[in-house]
């Protein structure tokens, strides 16, 4: 009999629901919240309220697009953390309520596991998926990690940021350039037209596989401060070169540690995941790195890089197959590592 999983994601500012049958994606609906734009960042209370408004129509649409009746579901997967507690509470409570009403089990999903396992979402039965073990460069708005993935439930963090995440480096530098939130996609767009060698920013010297991005941020700010003294329109006149140089530096920092991790572990497969893996420069750098060394690269479709319920559904699918269910007294958590 088929295993049909409804996935629900509500960890930050996207309400999403997806349906997966035997590992194959049937629907993935994402409602992004516009209310935060004018505040230059996500406002937690507004996010929870928007989730409450969105969750019923989003789940309903996902089931309809999949052509699945809710009674046919095998289980309901939901993001239990990490994320904003109020936002997580909406998805968690909805999943519990639906589970009680339908008498179907619930499966809790770690959002970061979801990002890593997004490579196992198949559009068709014979789509290629990674073989274990592989390394995943997990780069999102809140996390930057290098994860050794031995199995869907056996992951080891080899290195992680000791301060800002890669997405924060993009977003904070974009903010001082006056770009809208989140700044990452704007930097990506501007960088395509800029000279990446024009500006040199500081790079960290952190031992091992850990990352740091706060020095780069400070060096970016100092460059702007000095140049603005000479020319008040400096940012406007040089934004493409600034974006391209910033993006190049972030990619160099990421690739340096990824290369170390690959050499240390000897793995032959590299995957990327999280919002920053939508970045054109990051995608190209990882693809070129792997093809130059005969490694297999898994670069996710852009829709699976930022928050989406398809990755929650696939992570829940594997836990379901293992009989790992969630109790009703389990509550969301704000912070956790993979
Ligand atoms: O994974 P995600 O949706 O949220 C977390 O779970 O943290 O990632 C959001 C992050 C933001 O920092 C955003 O600026 C960044 O991903 N991002 C990008 C791009 N698209 C999204 N950064 C650089 N280039 C992009 N194209």
């Amino acid at each position: 009999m088929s295993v049909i999983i409804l996935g629900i994601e509500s960890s930050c500012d996207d309400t999403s629901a997806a349906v997966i049958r035997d590992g194959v994606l049937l629907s993935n609906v994402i409602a992004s919240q516009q209310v935060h734009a004018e505040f230059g960042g996500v406002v937690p209370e507004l996010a929870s309220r928007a989730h409450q408004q969105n969750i019923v129509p989003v789940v309903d649409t996902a089931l309809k697009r999949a052509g699945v009746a809710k009674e046919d579901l095998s289980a309901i997967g939901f993001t239990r953390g990490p994320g904003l507690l109020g936002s997580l509470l909406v998805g968690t409570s909805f999943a519990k309520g639906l589970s009680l009403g339908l008498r179907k089990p619930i499966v809790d999903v770690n959002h970061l596991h979801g990002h890593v396992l997004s490579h196992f979402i198949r559009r068709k039965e014979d789509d290629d998926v990674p073989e274990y073990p592989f390394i995943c460069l997990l780069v999102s708005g809140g996390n930057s990690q290098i994860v050794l993935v031995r199995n869907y439930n056996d992951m080891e963090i080899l290195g992680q940021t000791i301060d800002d995440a890669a997405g924060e480096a993009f977003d904070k530098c974009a903010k001082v350039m006056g770009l809208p939130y989140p700044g990452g996609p704007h930097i990506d767009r501007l960088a395509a037209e800029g000279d990446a060698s024009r500006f040199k920013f500081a790079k960290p010297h952190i031992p091992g596989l850990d990352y740091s991005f706060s020095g780069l941020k400070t060096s970016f700010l100092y460059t702007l401060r000095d140049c603005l003294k000479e020319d008040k329109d400096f940012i406007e006149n040089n934004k493409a070169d600034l974006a391209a140089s910033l993006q190049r530096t972030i990619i160099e920092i990421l690739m340096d540690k990824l290369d170390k991790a690959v050499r240390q572990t000897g793995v032959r497969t590299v995957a990327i995941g999280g919002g920053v893996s939508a970045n054109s420069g990051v995608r190209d750098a990882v693809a070129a790195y792997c093809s130059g060394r005969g490694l297999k690269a898994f670069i996710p479709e852009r829709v699976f890089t930022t928050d989406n319920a398809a990755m929650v559904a696939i992570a829940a699918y594997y836990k379901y197959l293992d009989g790992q269910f969630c109790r009703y007294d389990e509550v969301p958590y704000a912070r956790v590592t993979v």
Side-chain angles (χ1 to χ4, degrees):
M1 213 176 83
S2 285
V3 175
I4 306 178
I5 307 286
L6 168 70
I8 296 173
E9 156 63 32
S10 72
S11 65
C12 189
D13 60 342
D14 294 302
T15 320
S16 180
V19 179
I20 278 188
R21 180 167 53 214
D22 298 328
V24 177
L25 185 67
L26 302 182
S27 67
N28 183 36
V29 178
I30 305 172
S32 299
Q33 304 177 357
Q34 304 308 326
V35 287
H36 310 287
E38 64 179 290
F39 301 99
V42 178
V43 184
E45 182 54 31
L46 293 180
S48 339
R49 291 185 205 185
H51 282 306
Q52 282 184 315
Q53 286 174 340
N54 293 343
I55 197 147
V56 171
V58 164
V59 168
D60 192 45
T61 308
L63 289 167
K64 283 197 178 115
R65 281 193 197 159
V68 164
K70 52 187 184 306
E71 292 73 21
D72 297 334
L73 293 172
S74 312
I76 299 145
F78 66 97
T79 305
R80 193 171 144 214
L84 300 171
L85 271 183
S87 294
L88 289 164
L89 202 54
V90 178
T92 304
S93 309
F94 185 87
K96 287 179 183 174
L98 194 61
S99 152
L100 284 166
L102 295 172
R103 296 177 188 276
K104 307 282 181 185
I106 40 174
V107 181
D108 60 323
V109 170
N110 174 332
H111 182 81
L112 300 177
H113 281 185
H115 276 307
V116 173
L117 297 175
S118 62
H119 296 279
F120 293 86
I121 303 165
R122 284 176 290 128
R123 297 266 184 195
K124 328 185 268 343
E125 300 258 331
D126 56 355
D127 275 353
D128 207 10
V129 297
E131 271 176 31
Y132 299 114
F134 65 92
I135 276 187
C136 184
L137 175 66
L138 177 56
V139 274
S140 71
N143 297 274
S144 294
Q145 297 176 336
I146 298 183
V147 185
L148 175 62
V149 189
R150 295 195 190 88
N151 208 324
Y152 77 91
N153 60 356
D154 182 4
M155 304 184 193
E156 184 187 342
I157 301 172
L158 301 179
Q160 59 189 320
T161 183
I162 57 166
D163 40 55
D164 285 350
E168 280 174 291
F170 272 107
D171 295 343
K172 289 178 178 171
C173 294
K175 191 167 184 174
V176 295
M177 286 174 66
L179 297 169
Y181 179 87
H186 297 281
I187 299 283
D188 193 355
R189 178 177 46 79
L190 285 169
E193 291 147 27
D195 172 4
S197 60
R198 167 102 184 270
F199 299 101
K200 304 272 178 289
F201 303 118
K203 284 203 266 176
H205 299 280
I206 309 288
L209 295 175
D210 284 341
Y211 288 109
S212 164
F213 288 100
S214 69
L216 163 63
K217 193 180 62 189
T218 311
S219 144
F220 186 82
L221 281 174
Y222 281 6
T223 303
L224 287 189
R225 189 195 58 181
D226 294 344
C227 295
L228 282 168
K229 277 188 199 150
E230 310 285 318
D231 170 11
K232 69 175 176 37
D233 297 324
F234 177 79
I235 295 178
E236 189 50 38
N237 294 335
N238 297 281
K239 57 186 180 199
D241 292 351
L242 281 167
S245 304
L246 172 70
Q247 180 168 298
R248 172 188 53 79
T249 315
I250 293 176
I251 293 170
E252 284 171 4
I253 297 171
L254 290 172
M255 294 309 293
D256 176 48
K257 295 298 169 109
L258 180 65
D259 176 48
K260 267 196 189 148
V262 168
R263 284 189 282 118
Q264 268 179 29
T265 56
V267 296
R268 306 297 303 158
T269 303
V270 173
I272 52 175
V276 176
S277 69
N279 182 269
S280 319
V282 171
R283 297 165 80 85
D284 291 349
V286 172
Y289 173 83
C290 289
S291 77
R293 286 162 187 76
L295 306 176
K296 194 143 191 194
F298 280 85
I299 316 276
E301 281 181 42
R302 278 199 165 82
V303 67
F304 301 140
T305 59
T306 44
D307 293 343
N308 68 90
M311 69 183 199
V312 177
I314 196 75
Y317 170 71
Y318 288 111
K319 285 185 89 172
Y320 175 92
L321 294 183
D322 239 12
Q324 292 183 39
F325 301 109
C326 178
R327 295 195 320 260
Y328 289 119
D329 61 353
E330 303 279 19
V331 293
Y333 47 83
R335 300 203 151 268
V336 80
T337 49
V338 294

